[in-house]
Amino acid sequence: MTHADVEAPVQVTVADGIAHLTLDNPTRKNAISLGMAQLINEFCHRVEGDDSIGGVVIDARGDYFCSGADTRDLAASSADPASTEAVRRTSAVYDTFVRIGSLPVPTVSVVIGGAVGAGLNLALATDVMLVTPDTVLDSGFLARGIHPGGGHFSLLGRTLNRQQAMVHGVLGVPLSGTDAVRLGLAWKAFPEHTIRTEATALLDRVSRDPDLARRTKRSADLELGPTAASWPAAVELERGAQMWSLGRKSAGGWKKKPPRSVVE
């Protein structure tokens, strides 16, 4: 099944076990407005409730992934930042990152052009980030004279060490896609004309077995942290899910060779 609403600033398609969310506000470099945040939350709700989905790709239309939160909303919040309305505005955007990061299936972001501030948070909330060599990843908050938000340092600290996170997030040094891969912030860099195909290929195996993908993703989340489980605890944590998968496969299932992955 495929679906897309051509009027919306966020496009959603679901096909062959993979859900695609595309930011579609290119005239503002896909800055996240309150309306877009609501649509992202609706997308997450759909993925959570559809057991036929085994993976998610998040990308953007145009030549820039995401320039952050919409500055018009930030300006409105700056008038009285402690007000209920201002907190609601910022929370609406930042909560989308938590929703993306909590999805029950593997997620891949495709970052072309650049990601700044809240846009970088969105990319970091996914399990795997793909970039082009000349993608620019920029913390960006301090350049605008504001403190980072959305759990920015926690997201950076999932892959960067403390010194790297300080240089990027506190000192404001941007990273190219090539540098991001070298530091482990992104998985791989691909040319722009192939990167979306590579993202889909990366999810090929999980898209064909969504039930197993969801159980495996849950174990990975519990074991890897941010508060990582000990090895003995991880052995016990995985036991039930592995027993389920063994029972589903059955003794006869071992006679069949698994399908070859397109990324191997």
Side-chain angles (χ1 to χ4, degrees):
M1 177 180 67
T2 354
H3 170 73
D5 180 354
V6 295
E7 301 294 330
V10 169
Q11 301 296 329
V12 173
T13 61
V14 178
D16 301 323
I18 300 176
H20 291 256
L21 182 145
T22 301
L23 306 181
D24 193 0
N25 188 18
T27 59
R28 295 190 62 80
K29 289 188 174 180
N30 292 306
I32 303 173
S33 64
L34 295 180
M36 291 172 72
Q38 176 59 37
L39 291 171
I40 294 171
N41 274 312
E42 291 175 7
F43 169 80
C44 292
H45 182 73
R46 178 176 179 180
V47 171
E48 290 163 351
D50 188 343
D51 290 339
S52 71
I53 296 172
V56 163
V57 173
I58 297 177
D59 61 8
R61 189 166 75 87
D63 57 7
Y64 206 89
F65 176 72
C66 182
S67 59
D70 195 309
T71 52
R72 294 171 297 188
D73 291 325
L74 291 173
S77 296
S78 295
D80 185 3
S83 68
T84 300
E85 177 60 20
V87 172
R88 183 190 71 81
R89 284 176 178 273
T90 55
S91 295
V93 174
Y94 291 152
D95 286 351
T96 62
F97 310 147
V98 178
R99 289 294 301 278
I100 292 293
S102 302
L103 284 175
V105 298
T107 55
V108 178
S109 53
V110 174
V111 184
I112 295 172
V116 179
L120 179 56
N121 283 353
L122 175 61
L124 290 171
T126 62
D127 299 313
V128 177
M129 187 196 307
L130 302 184
V131 295
T132 65
D134 58 353
T135 292
V136 176
L137 303 179
D138 190 353
S139 178
F141 289 100
L142 274 70
R144 288 178 171 173
I146 60 174
H147 189 283
H152 187 60
F153 290 109
S154 178
L155 288 167
L156 289 175
R158 296 201 300 183
T159 50
L160 298 180
N161 64 34
R162 187 180 190 279
Q163 178 173 252
Q164 293 164 346
M166 290 289 290
V167 170
H168 188 58
V170 177
L171 302 182
V173 176
L175 295 172
S176 68
T178 300
D179 287 338
V181 172
R182 177 175 56 83
L183 295 174
L185 193 65
W187 171 238
K188 283 187 178 181
F190 295 102
E192 184 174 341
H193 68 278
T194 65
I195 190 171
R196 290 183 173 86
T197 302
E198 296 289 351
T200 302
L202 199 58
L203 293 171
D204 175 67
R205 181 162 286 152
V206 296
S207 70
R208 289 186 273 114
D209 196 345
D211 203 0
L212 181 60
R214 288 171 179 253
R215 290 173 184 261
T216 306
K217 170 70 184 293
R218 176 169 172 76
S219 293
D221 285 343
L222 290 171
E223 292 180 43
L224 296 176
T227 304
S230 68
W231 189 2
V235 171
E236 297 307 318
L237 187 151
E238 292 176 354
R239 191 183 306 278
Q242 189 175 67
M243 289 173 66
W244 163 83
S245 67
L246 288 169
R248 185 187 68 158
K249 190 177 184 75
S250 79
W254 289 99
K255 297 177 182 178
K256 302 176 183 178
K257 290 186 178 180
R260 183 177 177 82
S261 171
V262 295
V263 296
E264 291 179 344

